[in-house]
Amino acid sequence: MTDRVVLAYSGGLDTSVSIGWIGEATGAEVIAVAVDVGQGGENLETIRQRALACGAVEAYVADVREEFATEYCMPALAANALYMDRYPLVSALSRPVIVKHLVKAARQFGAGTVAHGCTGKGNDQVRFEVSITSLAPDLKCIAPVRDLALTRAASIEYAERHSLPIEQTKSSPFSVDQNVWGRAVETGYLEDIWNAPTKDVYTYTDDPTFPPVEDELVITFAQGVPVAIDGVAVTPLQAIQELNRRAGAHGIGRIDMVEDRLVGIKSREIYEAPGAMALIEAHRDLEGVTVERELARFKRTVGARWTELVYDGQWFSPLKRALDQFLAETQRYVSGDIRMTLHGGRATVTGRRSDTSLYDFNLATYDEGDTYDQSQARGFIEIFGMQSKLAAARDARFGQGVVL
Ligand code: ARG
């Protein structure tokens, strides 16, 4: 029986050419798999028809936006996931959900190999292949661009020679990956890291230099998940979409950074993640009110580690899974309302209220109604500072005291 290959298919030039290219190079039949993670653009039926027209024997298409928002973006929100303190894991989050569907399709159509369109220089090849082996150790992986010498020039030539139905008119100067959690833009003149991004880089956000009048909203969270905006119930997907629109209008969530890739390269990337950044800001603030101090401190460490694991393609790893359990536990009381103002590139929290709050007005107040016994602070500090005092006295004995 001829081998079958499931291909992660975007509908673009390279993956369209890959269908025939894989067939010629390996003799296998190709099944195209296209999933909607909120990247916008063409509808799935158009993409499906193109895959078949390019020679795929089957096309598997699925709208996985709710699944992606609920099972991938919401855990990232629980972790306040920002790689290198800045990047909200946009592409890193979508790879595991795409892989899940690639493996489903492989099982459904009896394929023994999975193919993806990544180059050999980035993180995504690692994410695809490590996730595939984690879910289906028996499947093989190939990458036509990396392993079968499919260059850009060869793609264009192949598409013309076979009259493939692909528009090549306006080829973007950038390499873009986008989904509902955000958008990543690289290559072209951005590779000179002194070059400032030009206006055409951005599509999820408007220029924050000339913002419309400020937009105030209230986000309601239940156990760390946004469940309503301005009192109207929303699914996680709807919450992200609405905030993409509203925060995007104020230019919130633009990120220009040089990041450390897993493969050892530093690379320049521009991100736009208006909804994700506004949600993380709101969620973090609510955690400030509802998460106990020691748990909050440790959670920051766990969240940072979780983020690195996901960035590094370890979504299905045992450590990541165990940290998921920890993070879920931390969200038990992260419920309540956050009021925020969106304006001029910033999402600013201006108020919070929660039935599960640990904020005690009577302990905090400097006005009437104080229930905090200040006389006990003296004894607390005496004992808390004991070790420092002993160490300082020893330093003095050995002439090592702080020079004034
Ligand atoms: N550097 C980011 C990551 O590894 C985004 C890569 C997405 N690809 C792109 N063509 N911009 O998660």
Side-chain angles (χ1 to χ4, degrees):
M1 205 184 106
T2 45
D3 188 22
R4 297 187 129 192
V5 175
V6 289
L7 167 70
Y9 182 66
S10 69
L13 173 68
D14 287 330
T15 55
S16 292
V17 168
S18 292
I19 295 172
W21 196 267
I22 291 170
E24 286 177 16
T26 68
E29 292 178 339
V30 175
I31 292 122
V33 175
V35 298
D36 183 356
V37 286
Q39 66 269 41
E42 299 177 309
N43 71 42
L44 286 173
E45 188 47 34
T46 309
I47 292 176
R48 190 187 136 75
Q49 291 307 331
R50 182 170 315 129
L52 296 172
C54 290
V57 293
E58 305 272 5
Y60 170 112
V61 296
D63 178 355
V64 307
R65 290 176 301 164
E66 288 284 359
E67 177 186 0
F68 177 58
T70 304
E71 294 173 30
Y72 297 80
C73 302
M74 291 302 107
L77 182 59
N80 299 314
L82 296 173
Y83 180 68
M84 294 174 77
D85 297 327
R86 302 177 75 187
Y87 164 46
L89 294 182
V90 175
S91 304
L93 289 174
S94 74
R95 303 315 172 196
V97 73
I98 295 170
V99 165
K100 218 173 201 177
H101 287 272
L102 284 168
V103 172
K104 267 193 186 175
R107 297 300 185 229
Q108 187 178 328
F109 296 106
T113 302
V114 179
H116 60 76
C118 304
T119 70
K121 294 184 85 164
N123 298 312
D124 287 327
Q125 53 172 344
V126 184
R127 296 172 183 148
F128 272 113
E129 294 179 31
V130 171
S131 297
I132 289 162
T133 15
S134 304
L135 292 184
D138 57 302
L139 292 178
K140 283 187 297 180
C141 295
I142 53 168
V145 173
R146 184 193 63 191
D147 308 331
L148 303 177
L150 180 62
T151 61
R152 190 82 191 166
S155 279
I156 293 169
E157 191 273 324
Y158 186 99
E160 277 168 3
R161 184 153 44 89
H162 293 81
S163 329
L164 296 183
I166 311 151
E167 264 188 74
Q168 292 166 45
T169 40
K170 45 175 192 283
S171 85
S172 161
F174 310 114
S175 163
V176 178
D177 181 53
Q178 61 190 44
N179 60 55
V180 73
W181 199 238
R183 187 163 173 272
V185 186
E186 61 180 346
T187 74
Y189 74 86
L190 295 171
E191 286 174 354
D192 178 339
I193 61 178
W194 182 248
N195 283 340
T198 46
K199 289 189 191 319
D200 59 326
V201 168
Y202 300 106
T203 66
Y204 280 22
T205 53
D206 292 330
D207 188 344
T209 316
F210 308 103
V213 291
E214 64 177 31
D215 184 3
E216 187 180 84
L217 73 158
V218 174
I219 308 175
T220 305
F221 287 88
Q223 304 200 318
V225 173
V227 292
I229 296 176
D230 294 330
V232 179
V234 286
T235 64
L237 176 64
Q238 290 167 336
I240 302 165
Q241 287 171 327
E242 175 156 355
L243 283 163
N244 274 343
R245 193 169 52 72
R246 290 170 71 171
H250 285 273
I252 290 160
R254 290 184 170 188
I255 301 148
D256 177 348
M257 69 184 282
V258 174
E259 82 191 30
D260 286 316
R261 284 190 192 162
L262 178 56
V263 295
I265 299 170
K266 282 191 187 290
S267 73
R268 203 279 187 87
E269 196 91 47
I270 307 288
Y271 298 108
E272 305 181 86
M277 295 307 277
L279 280 168
I280 289 171
E281 190 68 26
H283 176 260
R284 255 190 186 156
D285 194 275
L286 187 57
E287 286 193 332
V289 177
T290 55
V291 179
E292 181 271 335
R293 183 187 63 194
E294 292 307 313
L295 182 59
R297 286 180 174 174
F298 194 65
K299 180 181 179 289
R300 280 194 281 277
T301 307
V302 172
R305 189 74 190 95
W306 186 97
T307 303
E308 287 169 351
L309 287 167
V310 172
Y311 184 87
D312 289 348
Q314 303 291 311
W315 182 271
F316 296 106
S317 74
L319 178 56
K320 146 75 175 51
R321 242 185 301 163
L323 298 187
D324 275 332
Q325 296 293 311
F326 173 85
L327 290 170
E329 169 63 30
T330 65
Q331 300 302 292
R332 185 188 294 253
Y333 293 113
V334 185
S335 302
D337 294 335
I338 291 292
R339 187 181 58 231
M340 67 191 328
T341 301
L342 311 174
H343 194 247
R346 290 187 69 87
T348 311
V349 174
T350 61
R352 58 292 275 167
R353 63 182 170 204
S354 166
D355 293 338
T356 45
S357 165
L358 293 173
Y359 177 82
D360 185 331
F361 177 87
N362 295 314
L363 286 178
T365 187
Y366 284 97
D367 296 332
E368 289 301 300
D370 189 359
T371 58
Y372 179 89
D373 181 356
Q374 296 199 35
S375 70
Q376 294 188 0
R378 235 186 131 83
F380 167 74
I381 296 165
E382 183 74 28
I383 291 171
F384 181 75
M386 188 98 75
Q387 283 294 307
S388 299
K389 194 168 164 181
L390 289 168
R394 181 181 59 188
D395 280 343
R397 263 190 287 129
F398 285 92
Q400 301 292 314
V402 175
V403 181
L404 298 171

